[in-house]
Amino acid sequence: MPTPDWDDHYASGNLPWDSGEPEPHLVEAVERGLVTPGRTLEVGCGTGTNALWLASRGFEVLGIDIAPRAIAAANAKAEAAGARVQFRVLDFLTAEVEQAPFEFVFDRGVFHVFDEAETRAQFARQVGRMLATGGHWLSIAGSTEGPARDHGPPRRSARDLVEAVEPVLEIIELRTAAFDGGLAKAWQLLTRAREIPAQPSTRRTA
């Protein structure tokens, strides 16, 4: 499939992912104490809704997005709110982020946009490079569960996610979730920076 021009979406106002409300699974993770305030990177921050919410909870946030119009809107919202959040136009797959390492990385619906397994693996490796020791990554990704649909977020299997992530990050939690109040099934993936490399899968020898 051709690579979407994300800036065109922001120019046209075609933003089905931009509800103006913080992601409920992110809110839950913070309220459950799964992630705690610290240096934070939001990948694909869009117009800054989640980054601004995190900042209001004591997180020190850098939001990045590939779309300049998204970052312009995010900066305008931050200025209007008097919030101390940094926003930058960056391509996460290739970016050198000067502020790294981070205690927390978050993405909603970015990891799942890549059709190729190697690109998803590249994304996970990049997260691993960005995380401080013991740091966490929370990703909300489209799921293969639920009825057939001809629109909405891309679908990825649990295997798609695990094969990309497990070599570089420790999987803490992978559970079923949903976008937009249940209209599209999703995965909630919580991982941690590895202190010990993943060990090979064992084989029975006797």
Side-chain angles (χ1 to χ4, degrees):
M1 293 179 64
T3 302
D5 187 327
W6 298 107
D7 212 41
D8 282 352
H9 281 281
Y10 286 92
S12 68
N14 179 24
L15 309 172
W17 57 83
D18 191 352
S19 68
E21 298 293 331
E23 166 55 49
H25 301 298
L26 172 64
V27 173
E28 180 192 22
V30 172
E31 292 179 346
R32 288 172 61 194
L34 295 178
V35 294
T36 55
R39 290 172 59 81
T40 298
L41 174 67
E42 184 183 6
V43 182
C45 65
T47 62
T49 299
N50 293 311
L52 291 166
W53 182 86
L54 286 167
S56 74
R57 267 60 182 179
F59 290 75
E60 181 184 345
V61 188
L62 169 64
I64 65 172
D65 202 287
I66 202 168
R69 286 185 175 91
I71 294 300
N75 277 320
K77 288 166 67 172
E79 183 177 357
R84 298 185 63 182
V85 182
Q86 296 183 63
F87 293 106
R88 298 283 186 273
V89 179
L90 288 173
D91 181 345
F92 179 67
L93 288 178
T94 59
E96 294 293 333
V97 183
E98 295 177 358
Q99 292 87 336
F102 299 92
E103 282 83 40
F104 180 43
V105 174
F106 174 67
D107 86 276
R108 179 192 187 275
V110 181
F111 182 40
H112 72 197
V113 304
F114 303 106
D115 291 329
E116 299 301 325
E118 175 50 36
T119 311
R120 292 192 297 271
Q122 179 185 354
F123 189 102
R125 290 193 298 269
Q126 183 75 325
V127 172
R129 284 191 287 268
M130 297 291 167
L131 282 175
T133 301
H136 292 80
W137 170 32
L138 176 65
S139 180
I140 312 300
S143 167
T144 49
E145 302 299 331
R149 51 180 169 80
D150 58 6
H151 63 281
R155 292 185 184 268
R156 303 298 172 206
S157 69
R159 177 179 290 182
D160 289 335
L161 304 188
V162 170
E163 287 184 343
V165 169
E166 190 178 28
V168 291
L169 296 158
E170 178 186 355
I171 296 172
I172 298 172
E173 181 177 273
L174 177 62
R175 65 185 179 95
T176 191
F179 286 108
D180 303 323
L183 297 179
K185 293 292 185 181
W187 296 114
Q188 177 173 312
L189 172 68
L190 180 66
T191 71
R192 179 166 52 207
R194 284 196 175 278
E195 297 182 19
I196 300 172
Q199 303 301 305
S201 179
T202 55
R203 294 175 61 91
R204 293 185 62 184
T205 59

